[in-house]
């Protein structure tokens, strides 16, 4: 028997459930569809509430802490966080999407094995961060780093070691979290996220107010990990995990995860490429405006990514497992709201980019307006990146890896070329459109799985002029009101 066959035999299949489904009457099927649709809508609602609440809390945190701590502390903490996140992504095993899409994902043995691997992974991330911290410290002691560099700050190695220990704590997070995502039960997950963020924020503010130390960041990060992990065990429904190692489960996780690791490595490269290049070409003021503009546009992409990964992917995984013949129709139905929001937002942000800058910031930031307008075109292609999680659903994670490779090659090819030919504005357009080659690759992969509908692809673009009109109307109202004042 093959590994896959052995795993299938040990963990069982949903055959009985599918058999019952085929024997039910049409009214029963309609009831199940309505129930499933209601489940998706509830999950989407909780995901949106969670995302918006977390964004408000993070903005509030930034506004308060910038008044309590020195600016240099934010730079040091940003470097420590970047190193930790990069190490985590470079070793990402894709445990959560693997368990969500797997037919074995409800089996206790499978979940215990995934929990064991998750803890080992968390320890590995911490160990690699400790080694990175020691390397930075040795380089600073040997005067191999510029004295003005953030890497030469004496506190950085210790901060990196301490804050990255949160990965060990997170490694103990219950697999009840995965089960909740798998079954679209996001109410308590959202509450846990918000609770952890609120407690962490209060801790950071209290420590920053009383000590004025950068360690207020570190301690609040560890507290957030402790609260999230503790509540995942105490508050979510399900069985308690134990350390276990089952060969077939490990084979399934590694088979899925080997492509996730490569995909995450390429994601790190593509995600940091723009700032890597621009930091060497422009001054800090221009780069600051760019980061501001980029973050405003990226908020929309982040909301879409959260919704798709936490709601759409589990829903589509359920359809793929139980009714694969409905996957294409369900995928197009799920895509529609994402595509309409992304395309319409691209039109609205292009039309109202300057107005957004004038509304939110003072005159020092006016030059960020045109950057926002150019970067808005990135939303037209970013939606394909968000929707590429469908390849995890159809058990083809290598497709997502290929897409990330194409994006990484695109940004490291077109951005430098555009800058040397057309200057900063050329580089800006290249950053906005570097995802275009990936669109054609996505269409190719979708075609292989019968997920394409070219009429749909062109029809949804009609949302752009609608968004542009809405942005133009907002412009007229804002500037008319401003003149009257």
């Amino acid at each position: 028997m093959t590994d896959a066959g052995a795993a299938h035999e040990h963990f069982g299949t949903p055959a009985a459930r599918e058999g019952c489904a085929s024997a039910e009457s049409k009214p029963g099927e309609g009831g199940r569809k309505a129930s499933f649709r209601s489940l998706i809508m509830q999950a989407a609602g909780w995901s949106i509430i969670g995302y918006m609440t977390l964004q408000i809390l993070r903005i509030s945190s930034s506004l308060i802490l910038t008044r309590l701590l020195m600016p240099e502390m934010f730079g040091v903490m940003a470097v420590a966080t970047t190193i930790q996140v990069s190490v985590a992504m470079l070793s990402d095993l894709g445990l959560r999407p693997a368990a969500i899409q797997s037919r074995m994902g409800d089996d206790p043995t499978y979940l215990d094995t995934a929990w064991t691997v998750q803890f080992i992974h968390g320890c590995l991330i911490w160990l690699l961060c400790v080694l990175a911290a020691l390397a930075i410290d040795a380089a600073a002691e040997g005067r191999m780093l510029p004295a003005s560099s953030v890497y030469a700050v004496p506190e950085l190695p210790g901060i990196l070691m301490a804050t990255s220990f949160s990965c060990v704590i997170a490694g103990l997070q219950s697999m009840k979290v995965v089960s909740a995502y798998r079954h679209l039960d996001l109410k308590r997950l959202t509450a846990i996220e918000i609770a952890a963020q609120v407690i962490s924020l209060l801790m950071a503010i209290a420590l920053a107010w009383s000590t004025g130390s950068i360690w207020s960041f570190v301690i609040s990060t560890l507290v957030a990990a402790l609260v999230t992990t503790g509540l995942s065990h105490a508050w979510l429904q399900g069985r308690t995990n134990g350390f276990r190692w089952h060969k077939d489960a490990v084979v399934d996780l590694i088979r899925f995860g080997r492509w996730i690791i490569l995909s995450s490595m390429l994601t790190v490269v593509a995600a940091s490429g723009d700032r890597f290049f621009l930091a060497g070409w422009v001054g800090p003021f221009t780069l600051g405006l760019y980061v501001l503009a980029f973050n405003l546009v990226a908020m929309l992409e982040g909301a879409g990514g959260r919704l798709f990964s936490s709601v759409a992917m589990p829903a589509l995984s359920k359809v793929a497992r139980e009714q694969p013949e409905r996957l294409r129709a369900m995928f197009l139905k799920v895509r529609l709201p994402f595509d309409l929001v992304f395309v319409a937002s691209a039109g609205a942000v292009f039309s109202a980019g300057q107005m957004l800058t004038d509304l939110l910031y003072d005159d020092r930031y006016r030059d960020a307006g045109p950057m926002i307008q150019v970067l808005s075109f990135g939303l037209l292609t970013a939606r394909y990146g968000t929707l590429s999680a469908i390849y995890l659903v159809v058990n083809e994670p290598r497709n997502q890896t290929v897409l990330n490779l194409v994006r990484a090659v695109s940004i490291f090819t077109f951005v430098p070329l555009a800058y040397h030919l057309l200057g900063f504005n050329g580089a800006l357009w290249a950053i906005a459109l570097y995802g275009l080659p990936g669109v054609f690759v996505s269409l190719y992969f979708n075609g292989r799985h019968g997920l394409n509908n070219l009429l749909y692809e062109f029809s949804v673009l009609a949302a752009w002029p609608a968004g542009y009109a809405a942005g133009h109307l907002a412009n007229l109202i804002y500037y008319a009101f401003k003149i009257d004042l």
Side-chain angles (χ1 to χ4, degrees):
M1 183 178 292
T2 65
D3 289 333
H8 216 56
E9 182 182 58
H10 175 76
F11 293 106
T13 69
R17 183 169 61 250
E18 291 174 359
C20 291
S22 63
E24 289 189 18
S25 63
K26 287 188 181 295
E29 290 177 1
R32 285 202 314 280
K33 288 180 181 178
S35 177
F36 186 43
R37 188 180 301 115
S38 175
L39 190 64
I40 293 174
M41 294 303 296
Q42 288 178 15
W46 282 111
S47 185
I48 292 171
I49 290 171
Y51 182 81
M52 292 180 64
T53 304
L54 289 174
Q55 291 304 312
I56 292 171
L57 288 172
R58 285 165 185 159
I59 293 171
S60 302
S61 173
S62 177
L63 290 174
I64 295 171
L65 292 176
T66 51
R67 287 160 174 78
L68 295 175
L69 299 173
M70 299 293 291
E72 295 81 5
M73 297 179 184
F74 291 88
V76 174
M77 196 63 195
V79 171
T81 304
T82 299
I83 294 172
Q84 177 186 325
V85 171
S86 297
V87 170
M89 291 190 69
L90 290 173
S91 60
D92 184 20
L93 299 173
L95 293 176
R96 183 170 294 180
I100 288 173
Q101 64 83 40
S102 177
R103 289 179 180 270
M104 313 173 204
D106 287 322
D107 189 277
T109 301
Y110 184 89
L111 291 173
D112 282 350
T113 303
W115 189 64
T116 304
V117 174
Q118 175 182 270
F119 177 66
I120 294 172
H121 181 231
C123 294
L124 176 63
I125 294 171
W126 181 53
L127 176 60
L128 292 174
C129 287
V130 168
L131 293 175
L134 293 174
I136 292 171
D137 186 56
E141 287 290 330
R143 298 186 178 180
M144 299 169 61
L145 300 169
S148 59
S149 169
V150 177
Y151 292 104
V153 174
E155 294 84 4
L156 177 59
I159 289 169
L160 176 55
M161 290 182 192
T163 193
S164 60
F165 189 74
S166 62
C167 295
V168 177
I169 300 171
L172 291 170
Q173 193 176 106
S174 175
M175 283 292 115
K176 297 175 189 178
V177 173
V178 170
S179 297
Y181 274 114
R182 180 178 171 90
H183 298 290
L184 296 171
D185 185 12
L186 303 189
K187 181 178 180 179
R188 291 191 178 185
L189 283 178
T190 302
I192 288 173
E193 275 191 294
I194 294 172
Q197 188 73 18
V198 169
I199 294 172
S200 172
L201 171 59
L202 293 175
M203 178 65 71
I205 293 172
L207 290 173
W209 180 77
S210 60
T211 68
S213 169
I214 191 173
W215 287 92
S216 57
F217 278 131
V218 177
I219 294 172
S220 65
T221 298
L222 296 174
V223 166
L226 281 169
V227 171
T228 302
T229 299
L231 289 178
S232 74
H233 287 277
W235 201 28
L236 295 179
Q237 297 177 343
R239 58 181 292 278
T240 301
N241 298 116
F243 289 111
R244 194 182 305 193
W245 193 268
H246 193 280
K247 178 184 175 183
D248 296 325
V250 174
V251 168
D252 184 77
L253 289 167
I254 292 176
R255 175 193 58 78
F256 190 91
R258 68 182 187 269
W259 292 106
I260 298 294
I261 292 173
L262 182 56
S263 179
S264 295
M265 292 173 64
L266 294 169
T267 299
V268 171
V269 172
S272 59
D274 55 344
R275 275 150 286 190
F276 172 78
F277 285 123
L278 291 177
W281 295 335
V282 301
F285 179 75
T286 303
L287 183 61
L289 294 181
Y290 168 79
V291 171
L292 176 71
F294 180 87
N295 288 340
L296 282 174
V297 176
M299 285 181 64
L300 294 168
E301 186 178 353
R306 178 185 173 92
L307 268 175
F308 198 89
S309 63
S310 62
V311 179
M313 184 183 166
L316 291 169
S317 295
K318 182 178 174 67
V319 172
R321 290 192 306 270
E322 300 177 6
Q323 296 175 297
E325 70 281 357
R326 293 186 57 229
L327 182 61
R328 180 177 184 272
M330 189 67 178
F331 177 57
L332 290 175
K333 186 178 294 186
V334 167
R335 275 192 65 180
L336 184 60
F338 285 92
D339 285 336
L340 289 177
V341 169
F342 271 74
V343 176
S345 296
V349 173
F350 177 76
S351 177
Q354 189 62 60
M355 184 269 288
L356 285 172
T357 306
D358 293 344
L359 175 65
L360 296 173
Y361 307 105
D362 59 44
D363 289 342
R364 294 174 298 167
Y365 299 95
R366 277 194 60 82
D367 289 342
M371 297 183 194
I372 293 174
Q373 291 177 298
V374 172
L375 292 173
S376 70
F377 285 94
L379 292 171
L380 297 175
T381 59
R383 58 197 175 102
Y384 288 94
T386 297
L387 297 170
S388 68
I390 185 64
Y391 305 129
L392 306 182
V393 172
V394 297
N395 207 19
E396 288 286 353
R398 59 184 173 183
N399 291 359
Q400 198 174 48
T401 303
V402 172
L403 275 171
N404 285 331
L405 174 62
V406 170
R407 294 188 188 106
V409 170
S410 296
I411 201 164
F412 274 83
T413 301
F414 298 130
V415 174
L417 182 62
Y419 177 78
H420 288 294
L421 291 177
L422 301 170
F424 175 75
N425 285 336
L428 204 61
W429 277 103
I431 292 168
L433 301 176
Y434 84 93
L436 192 57
V439 172
F440 298 104
V441 177
S442 292
L443 293 175
Y444 169 73
F445 285 144
N446 288 353
R448 287 177 55 184
H449 295 286
L451 300 173
N452 270 340
N453 185 326
L454 295 181
L455 178 61
Y456 169 88
E457 298 294 344
F458 286 104
S459 298
V460 77
L461 294 177
W464 193 92
Y468 180 90
H472 184 64
L473 179 61
N475 274 338
L476 294 176
I477 294 173
Y478 172 74
Y479 287 113
F481 179 75
K482 188 175 180 181
I483 291 172
D484 288 342
L485 289 179

